[in-house]
């Protein structure tokens, strides 16, 4: 009988092979998302965002001192309210302009097309940019909260700071959506400004619409009131964020935190989902 070579042993792939590959891919994606977030946050230093925040803090402290000197009573409360007002507006403008300019610059320099051509899920790129923007928002929140500790109790300042971070997270998400949609700095800033102003003033507009002195029997007025109520149902209640009376009168701020956190989760999720849909429509 002819001599037969022994057959080589059959090596079987381990059953957890696909699982291991999926785990490695997930770890690589998370590492890439963290890298994008880190470089996005580092970009804030080059854009002078922190320098602008420090200048705003100096101006806010001076404004608070001036407002306190003008007040006849409760000088600390008036000073805290003036500083909080300026810090809130400045923080929203800084985070919106930073998020929009970062994305628009990448689109103009073809950096966005290069990133989208890489083997990285587009959701990973979006979450990386959002993570970097929220990290900048956290830094801005800490910087703007520190001066308020000299004029308000730390419990009230802590609640105000957490609320400000929630608001900046919503604004950052809206800024990324507008930057991906319009891809122009001015148009994106205008859209975010309109969104923010409407969200801040919608409660006042609805209160005016429900006033007994307005012509309730007018068809045009009823149509306008219904339109405002429809728009108000789609917008976050930013008028309940960062309230100045938390710092001046010691109002129960922590009771509002669960509601504010729920609002933040809902609107951040919706805005990021819309931004992801728009990002998926873009071709490389």
């Amino acid at each position: 009988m002819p001599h037969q070579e022994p057959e080589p042993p059959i090596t079987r792939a381990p059953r957890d092979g696909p699982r291991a590959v999926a785990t490695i891919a997930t770890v690589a994606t998370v590492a890439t998302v963290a890298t994008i977030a880190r470089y996005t946050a580092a970009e804030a230093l080059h854009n002078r965002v922190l320098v602008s925040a420090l200048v705003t803090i100096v101006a806010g402290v001076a404004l608070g001192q001036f407002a306190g000197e003008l007040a006849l009573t409760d000088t600390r409360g008036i000073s805290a309210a003036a500083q909080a007002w300026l810090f809130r507006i400045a923080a929203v403008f800084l985070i919106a302009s930073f998020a929009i300019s970062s994305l628009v610059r990448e689109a103009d320099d073809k950096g966005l097309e290069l990133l989208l051509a890489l083997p990285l899920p587009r959701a990973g790129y979006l979450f990386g940019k959002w993570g970097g923007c929220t990290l900048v928002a956290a830094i801005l929140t800490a910087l703007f909260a520190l001066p308020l500790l000299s004029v308000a109790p730390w419990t009230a300042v802590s609640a105000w700071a957490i609320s400000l971070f929630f608001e900046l997270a919503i604004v950052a998400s809206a800024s990324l959506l507008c930057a991906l949609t319009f891809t122009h700095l001015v148009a994106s800033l205008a859209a975010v400004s309109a969104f923010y102003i409407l969200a801040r003033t919608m409660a006042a507009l609805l209160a005016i619409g429900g006033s007994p002195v307005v012509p309730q029997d007018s068809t045009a007025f009823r149509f306008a009131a219904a339109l405002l109520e429809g728009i108000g149902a789609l917008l976050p209640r930013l008028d309940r964020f960062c309230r100045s009376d938390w710092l001046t009168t010691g109002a129960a701020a922590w009771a509002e935190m669960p509601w504010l956190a729920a609002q933040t989760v809902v609107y951040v999720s919706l805005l990021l989902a819309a931004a992801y849909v728009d990002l998926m429509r873009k071709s490389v």
Side-chain angles (χ1 to χ4, degrees):
M1 295 180 64
H3 178 69
Q4 295 182 351
E5 296 290 337
E7 297 182 358
I10 301 176
T11 58
R12 298 179 180 273
R15 293 183 178 181
D16 59 346
R19 186 182 303 173
V21 173
T23 302
I24 294 173
T26 302
V27 171
T29 301
V30 171
T32 306
V33 170
T35 302
I36 294 175
R38 186 172 67 252
Y39 278 98
T40 301
E43 189 179 351
L45 295 176
H46 300 286
N47 287 355
R48 306 291 192 273
V49 173
L50 299 184
V51 175
S52 301
L54 294 177
V55 173
T56 304
I57 289 174
V58 174
V61 172
L63 176 65
Q65 292 292 332
F66 179 73
E69 292 294 331
L70 293 179
L72 298 178
T73 60
D74 193 16
T75 57
R76 289 170 60 89
I78 298 299
S79 177
Q83 292 184 48
W85 172 81
L86 181 62
F87 293 160
R88 181 183 186 184
I89 297 299
V92 169
F93 174 76
L94 288 175
I95 198 64
S97 59
F98 167 70
I100 293 172
S101 62
S102 177
L103 258 178
V104 171
R105 185 183 302 108
E106 287 184 359
D108 292 340
D109 297 341
K110 306 302 181 183
L112 179 59
E113 296 181 3
L114 177 62
L115 287 171
L116 295 181
L118 296 176
L120 171 70
R122 299 194 177 191
Y125 169 76
L126 179 62
F127 279 113
K129 297 297 291 186
W130 182 79
C133 291
T134 52
L135 180 57
V136 175
I139 296 173
L140 290 176
T141 299
L143 289 176
F144 287 134
L146 286 177
L148 295 175
L149 292 174
S150 62
V151 291
W154 70 270
T155 53
V157 174
S158 300
W160 183 88
I162 293 174
S163 176
L164 178 63
F165 176 73
F166 288 162
E167 182 173 316
L168 294 183
I170 295 175
V171 173
S173 305
S175 301
L176 292 177
L177 171 61
C178 293
L180 288 172
T181 302
F182 299 108
T183 65
H184 290 287
L185 180 62
V186 177
S188 301
L189 273 176
V192 173
S193 300
F195 167 80
Y196 182 75
I197 292 172
L198 273 177
R200 281 285 303 272
T201 60
M202 184 54 65
L205 295 176
L206 292 176
I208 293 174
S211 174
V213 299
V214 296
Q216 300 286 348
D217 56 345
S218 172
T219 303
F221 176 81
R222 288 199 300 267
F223 174 78
L227 180 62
L228 281 178
E229 290 179 359
I231 296 174
L234 300 175
L235 294 174
R237 289 291 305 275
L238 294 184
D239 58 292
R240 296 179 63 177
F241 288 66
C242 302
R243 288 165 44 189
S244 297
D245 60 334
W246 296 346
L247 303 174
T248 57
T249 62
W254 291 102
E256 296 276 349
M257 288 300 117
W259 186 87
L260 298 181
Q263 283 256 308
T264 303
V265 171
V266 169
Y267 282 96
V268 166
S269 301
L270 290 175
L271 291 169
L272 289 182
Y276 175 71
V277 171
D278 191 84
L279 185 61
M280 291 298 294
R281 293 174 55 246
K282 295 185 179 297
S283 59
V284 180

